Amino acid sequence: MSSPPLLRVRDLAVHFPVGRRGLLGRPARHLKAVDGVSFDLERGESLGLVGESGCGKSTTARAIVGLQRASAGSVQLDGVELTGLDRRAWLPHRRRVQMIFQDPYASLDPRQTVGSILAEPLSIHGLAKPRRRKLEAMALLEAVGLNPRHVARYPHEFSGGQRQRIGIARALALEPELLICDEPVSALDVSIQAQIINLLDELRRRFGLAYLFIAHDLAVVRHLCERVAVMYLGRVVEDAERERLFASPRHPYTRALLSAVPVADPARERERRRTLLRGDVPSPLDPPGGCPFHPRCPEREAVEGDACAVSVPSLGRVGGGDDAACAHQSACHLDPTLE
């Protein structure tokens, strides 16, 4: 019997109530930030979660680690159900899954020294005696390329890239199996981004970590991730192995995203065809019926009773793939190869 994936997400939904009918009435509407996300993540695998701002990537991450309560669906860590657990029941699982946040300054306590920040997880989980925690903090700083003698400094005494390294060190303190990286380089300069990306790649190989890497920069995802899942308006619309997705995207939204990535060769850039999307991203307060992408889809031809405007397409396996676990999946009524 095969073992379950390290992380299994099924039909995850996060809906926020907006307004109320009367003083104590039910919510008038719900904002559907995440609306039925499903994917698996194996041990040691790196999965990139990409899409436009507001598509629900970060909310998905926060729901997985229990920082945001899920409205529906299932999140399993090594076969153990996590949705609905209270703080006490979550505690044993915190060691196995940790998160790196987008803003390294906002995620660090400015009143604590770096040594205290790194020692705090060890104290909470009782993993080291008090006199050993400073040595553990120094070792963590060294592991992420910082001077271990700086444990007595405060976060404001470091640069943005150094603060993000501290955030990574804090995530590593409990020796997790899974790191959820919520746009960890988007707030950094380009030159610093490359250093942090290379550090994350090195740490993954050294410690055998699995990554759920959230980003809107497809070049970063292509460098770091083995698989890519594309989100649009709270749903995963395509999921495939990295090179297969970049070489042969099946969903019109994925093709539009890839066409927006600039090419370094000016001659190729001039000859390249761009896919321009019409209109704005619909509001998750009032999503369109049918396929959420259909009002902006450049490949759809509106006809009476067409499926795009009527029914929501589910993720289907693109024909030709034998291994369901590694299958190229897409959610599009226009793709005749979907099984």
Side-chain angles (χ1 to χ4, degrees):
M1 188 178 196
S2 60
S3 59
L6 177 61
L7 179 68
R8 170 169 285 165
V9 179
R10 288 291 179 272
D11 301 318
L12 181 65
V14 180
H15 298 171
F16 297 102
V18 178
R20 292 192 176 274
R21 297 186 177 94
L23 185 60
L24 300 175
R26 293 183 177 181
R29 293 189 295 173
H30 283 85
L31 187 151
K32 298 180 179 181
V34 179
D35 195 24
V37 166
S38 299
F39 60 83
D40 290 342
L41 182 60
E42 302 292 339
R43 289 166 177 79
E45 186 182 26
S46 181
L47 170 65
L49 196 59
V50 303
E52 294 171 287
S53 295
C55 70
K57 306 185 299 296
S58 294
T59 306
T60 298
R62 293 176 66 85
I64 289 172
V65 298
L67 295 178
Q68 177 63 56
R69 183 172 292 277
S71 304
S74 169
V75 176
Q76 294 182 5
L77 184 66
D78 205 10
V80 177
E81 183 63 49
L82 300 181
T83 52
L85 296 182
D86 58 24
R87 292 182 61 183
R88 184 179 296 274
W90 241 108
L91 189 62
H93 307 290
R94 294 288 182 198
R95 289 186 59 183
R96 304 185 64 191
V97 53
Q98 288 287 298
M99 191 164 179
I100 302 170
F101 296 91
Q102 179 177 358
D103 187 342
Y105 192 62
S107 64
L108 301 176
D109 188 342
R111 299 168 297 179
Q112 288 187 302
T113 65
V114 168
S116 297
I117 290 171
L118 298 181
E120 187 173 29
L122 302 174
S123 174
I124 291 172
H125 289 267
L127 296 182
K129 295 180 179 179
R131 62 177 178 271
R132 288 280 310 170
R133 290 171 192 160
K134 182 178 179 180
L135 295 177
E136 294 287 346
M138 294 174 70
L140 287 166
L141 287 179
E142 190 170 16
V144 297
L146 293 177
N147 190 330
R149 291 178 295 179
H150 292 168
V151 288
R153 293 187 177 184
Y154 289 85
H156 72 269
E157 299 179 84
F158 294 88
S159 68
Q162 290 173 326
R163 285 195 290 264
Q164 192 59 290
R165 288 175 185 265
I166 295 167
I168 294 170
R170 181 179 58 184
L172 292 174
L174 299 177
E175 300 181 358
E177 299 173 56
L178 168 63
L179 280 187
I180 297 181
C181 309
D182 185 11
E183 301 199 36
V185 298
S186 63
L188 305 176
D189 294 337
V190 174
S191 60
I192 305 301
Q193 285 184 14
Q195 297 175 18
I196 298 300
I197 292 165
N198 290 335
L199 172 64
L200 288 170
D201 197 25
E202 176 192 343
L203 293 172
R204 186 172 76 91
R205 298 176 190 278
R206 188 196 308 179
F207 298 115
L209 298 168
Y211 282 171
L212 176 60
F213 192 89
I214 297 167
H216 58 263
D217 188 332
L218 291 171
V220 171
V221 170
R222 188 169 192 174
H223 177 77
L224 195 62
C225 300
E226 298 160 338
R227 255 178 63 226
V228 183
V230 182
M231 283 190 69
Y232 183 81
L233 208 63
R235 292 177 173 270
V236 173
V237 297
E238 188 160 6
D239 183 343
E241 185 272 334
R242 172 186 60 199
E243 295 305 328
R244 187 169 183 178
L245 182 133
F246 279 87
S248 181
R250 306 307 295 246
H251 197 279
Y253 177 62
T254 308
R255 287 194 280 269
L257 283 183
L258 294 177
S259 75
V261 178
V263 176
D265 186 344
R268 286 180 57 202
E269 180 68 20
R270 284 193 296 269
E271 296 173 358
R272 205 160 58 104
R273 289 185 59 188
R274 289 286 183 89
T275 301
L276 299 178
L277 300 181
R278 54 187 180 225
D280 298 322
V281 180
S283 170
L285 266 175
D286 188 22
C291 173
F293 186 59
H294 88 264
R296 305 177 70 201
C297 181
E299 301 179 21
R300 169 182 169 262
E301 295 182 3
V303 295
E304 184 178 353
D306 72 286
C308 296
V310 175
S311 63
V312 179
S314 58
L315 276 175
R317 190 150 58 99
V318 175
D322 296 326
D323 187 354
C326 301
H328 188 158
Q329 295 180 299
S330 178
C332 181
H333 290 304
L334 302 177
D335 192 337
T337 69
L338 295 183
E339 296 180 358

